[in-house]
Amino acid sequence: MKAIAIDGDALVWTDHDEPGAPGAEDVLIDVAWAGMNRADLTQRAGGYPPPPGASEILGLEVSGHVRAVGDNVTHLNVGDPVCALLTGGGYAEQVRVPAAQVLPLPGGISLRDAAGLPEVFATAWMNLYMEASLKPGERILLHAGASGVGTAVIQLAKAMGNPVFVTVGSDAKIEACKALGAEAGWNRYNGSFVDAVKDWGGADMVLDPVGGDYIHQDQSVLNVNGRIVLIGLMGGRETQLDLGYMLMKRQRLIGSTLRSQPVARKREVMDALYETVWPLLASGEIKPIIDREFAIEDAAAAMDFLKSNDSQGKVLLRVAESA
Ligand SMILES: NC(=O)c1ccc[n+]([C@@H]2O[C@H](COP(=O)([O-])OP(=O)(O)OC[C@H]3O[C@@H](n4cnc5c(N)ncnc54)[C@H](OP(=O)(O)O)[C@@H]3O)[C@@H](O)[C@H]2O)c1
């Protein structure tokens, strides 16, 4: 098969060993489309190595057709159109993945659009409703609101009854986030978000992919019993915590990564998506937000685009010629 290889500064679509027959609990997928994530850029740069046992090939989510199933897999059949959450290996013609991480397409969603669903909706669900245990009405401060993850969080939170305040990098992105259901927003190039979030009413949870000096600011807008869920380090890995706030306001700081979770935890997340989010996608209440697509051979150009911070929603890679 062909897959993307990292060759110095280049990404090359080249021959690669096939993943091999599926284990008893696995599914082998002929990949049609791969979703691109910010983590792929970090892995390419050497900063986010795959967990032990995972494919070295980039790519955390795909859509495609089932090529083969393991002996114990009963809910999927050869030829089924599916999408899958991966630990790696998506930028390739074939990928092997535990069946627990594979879902049928939501009703009415194309194979193309489905490639951008697993990673962002799994991240949104796990962090909002499992890590932070959000209750209806609790308020969210969401950084990088127009990102792939952000566009999923805004829509999911609105559907679940959780108001959202976003921070983003342009006024146009604030408007785009409001169109998806955010109540209010702040352009991060206009200084600190703290006063604007306090004026909005503060937050019970912050979904923070930035870290760095955002953590201290997050702390000062958190209501009592608030949770900061740290999911990324785009602003740096060093920070200053105010332990006084943490103690007196009973705050919690939670570090969270989806990729390294055991399959059993990913199964819980995927089951929740199938039960709660898939019907919302099928009814049109939640939509896949796709910014643009590139051919897999142009993966480097797609990464340049993501890196520019100009994207809104997902960037997809077309892997199969017929897709
Ligand atoms: N822990 C996990 O399990 C997990 C899972 C998935 C994603 N993530 C993290 O979630 C974040 C979003 O991922 P994604 O793939 O959806 O990203 P994406 O679509 O590439 O969007 C990232 C956005 O972040 C903003 N940004 C970039 N640098 C920033 C900085 N220094 N400070 C503040 N904002 C900055 C930019 O938007 P603006 O210019 O508009 O602000 C950029 O468009 C990433 O940090 C990713 O690593 C974590």
Side-chain angles (χ1 to χ4, degrees):
M1 71 167 185
K2 285 202 164 3
I4 287 288
I6 301 170
D7 183 7
D9 287 342
L11 293 179
V12 189
W13 183 237
T14 186
D15 290 331
H16 194 283
D17 289 343
E18 291 181 359
E25 311 288 342
D26 294 339
V27 169
L28 190 64
I29 297 173
D30 279 325
V31 177
W33 294 87
M36 179 170 278
N37 290 280
R38 185 64 55 147
D40 303 344
L41 280 61
T42 317
Q43 181 172 336
R44 177 187 182 190
Y48 192 42
S55 169
E56 295 288 325
I57 300 169
L58 296 167
L60 299 176
E61 57 187 348
V62 294
S63 64
H65 291 94
V66 174
R67 183 186 181 92
V69 297
D71 289 344
N72 297 344
V73 177
T74 51
H75 70 293
L76 294 164
N77 294 300
V78 171
D80 285 355
V82 292
C83 59
L85 177 71
L86 309 175
T87 313
Y91 291 14
E93 286 179 315
Q94 287 178 30
V95 68
R96 190 177 57 199
V97 54
Q101 294 166 217
V102 181
L103 289 180
L105 306 191
I109 302 294
S110 67
L111 199 58
R112 168 189 183 267
D113 290 0
L117 298 175
E119 174 72 14
V120 295
F121 279 100
T123 299
W125 184 272
M126 184 178 82
N127 291 302
L128 269 54
Y129 300 109
M130 295 167 80
E131 296 293 346
S133 306
L134 272 187
K135 301 286 175 290
E138 285 194 305
R139 304 161 71 77
I140 303 171
L141 167 60
L142 165 68
H143 297 308
S147 64
V149 169
T151 53
V153 167
I154 293 167
Q155 297 186 85
L156 179 60
K158 179 162 171 76
M160 301 292 286
N162 296 111
V164 176
F165 185 107
V166 293
T167 70
V168 289
S170 71
D171 293 349
K173 283 190 180 181
I174 294 178
E175 293 314 312
C177 290
K178 283 186 177 171
L180 290 177
E183 277 193 358
W186 180 255
N187 182 337
R188 67 184 170 101
Y189 294 110
N190 290 341
S192 171
F193 54 83
V194 166
D195 289 344
V197 180
K198 281 184 176 168
D199 288 348
W200 177 65
D204 301 297
M205 176 204 175
V206 187
L207 188 66
D208 190 335
V210 181
D213 68 0
Y214 271 32
I215 298 293
H216 187 263
Q217 300 175 65
D218 294 344
Q219 281 196 281
S220 64
V221 302
L222 267 190
N223 299 328
V224 168
N225 289 322
R227 291 83 84 194
I228 300 168
V229 183
L230 178 71
I231 62 163
L233 299 172
M234 291 190 292
R237 62 186 297 165
E238 303 286 336
T239 193
Q240 212 171 8
L241 270 179
D242 186 327
L243 296 176
Y245 266 134
M246 181 159 270
L247 188 68
M248 298 312 292
K249 292 174 96 180
R250 298 191 300 275
Q251 297 178 339
R252 274 173 281 164
L253 173 60
I254 301 164
S256 171
T257 56
L258 175 63
R259 188 187 195 186
S260 59
Q261 294 281 355
V263 174
R265 176 77 161 174
K266 289 178 181 164
R267 180 197 300 275
E268 276 180 58
V269 177
M270 297 307 276
D271 286 354
L273 293 192
Y274 188 62
E275 232 169 75
T276 307
V277 180
W278 260 220
L280 295 168
L281 283 157
S283 72
E285 190 174 338
I286 287 182
K287 295 185 171 61
I289 306 299
I290 313 294
D291 187 304
R292 66 191 66 182
E293 64 185 60
F294 291 81
I296 187 75
E297 293 86 348
D298 298 328
M303 282 198 177
D304 287 346
F305 174 59
L306 207 64
K307 200 173 173 183
S308 72
N309 293 343
D310 287 335
S311 60
Q312 295 183 18
K314 297 292 300 184
V315 170
L316 301 179
L317 299 171
R318 191 175 56 255
V319 176
E321 288 198 356
S322 58

